Amino acid sequence: AGTHSFQFRKVCMAAWFVQDAPFSLTGVVSAGHAKAPVKVVTITESSVKYATNRGPYKLKNIPRNMFGSLYVQGDNDKSTGEQKFTTNRPVVVYVAIDSRSGTNSKALPEGFTSYGSLTFEHGRNRGIVDFPLYIKAFPAGTHSFQFRKVCMAAWFVQEAQN
């Protein structure tokens, strides 16, 4: 970013090109209750394994407009600690939170607004739960947010579309 210049040392026939750096997501931190490992997974279909410390759990009915987003797969239970990331481009962050017992409204991080919902499947015919979906835009840079209480939640990062 910014203005840059250079000079050729003498008159010559030359050409120069400028290429944007590809979108990057780095410095990912996902605070969880059990401190499970964190992986970043590209969403390529309508479902994804929910957590690194839960086998059969899945998020389903991921909207097509979220395909290509990066899913931060970590702990089953998110803590109130930092969820943190750095990007080189403006992004939107989607947060999906367990709706049981009204948890979603009590845990929702500051500044996120309602966007829709995903489906959470326990696996092995143990039930399906609605996970309301929320969204917030962030400029390029390093950012963090916190859940306001321990909860089952998921978050995705997607490059903002102009």
Side-chain angles (χ1 to χ4, degrees), residues 28-104:
V28 175
V29 174
S30 183
H33 190 66
K35 297 178 178 60
V38 176
K39 291 176 26 182
V40 176
V41 179
T42 301
I43 298 300
T44 59
E45 57 186 284
S46 64
S47 69
V48 67
K49 182 179 187 289
Y50 171 68
T52 56
N53 62 341
R54 292 293 188 276
Y57 295 6
K58 282 190 172 193
L59 288 170
K60 293 189 162 191
N61 299 317
I62 297 170
R64 290 191 68 74
N65 67 306
M66 289 176 62
F67 287 16
S69 67
L70 302 174
Y71 175 53
V72 179
Q73 186 183 69
D75 209 312
N76 179 68
D77 295 311
K78 303 300 183 281
S79 73
T80 57
E82 267 191 332
Q83 311 296 317
K84 185 176 178 180
F85 62 95
T86 300
T87 65
N88 63 338
R89 301 237 174 103
V91 296
V92 291
V93 174
Y94 301 92
V95 170
I97 305 173
D98 184 354
S99 66
R100 293 174 290 184
S101 305
T103 301
N104 56 318

Side-chain angles (χ1 to χ4, degrees), residues 103-134:
T103 301
N104 56 318
S105 61
K106 296 172 189 168
L108 183 63
E110 187 176 321
F112 283 79
T113 57
S114 183
Y115 185 76
S117 68
L118 304 179
T119 303
F120 174 82
E121 186 179 274
H122 283 99
R124 298 190 191 103
N125 298 319
R126 290 183 45 211
I128 293 176
V129 177
D130 183 50
F131 266 46
L133 192 59
Y134 304 89

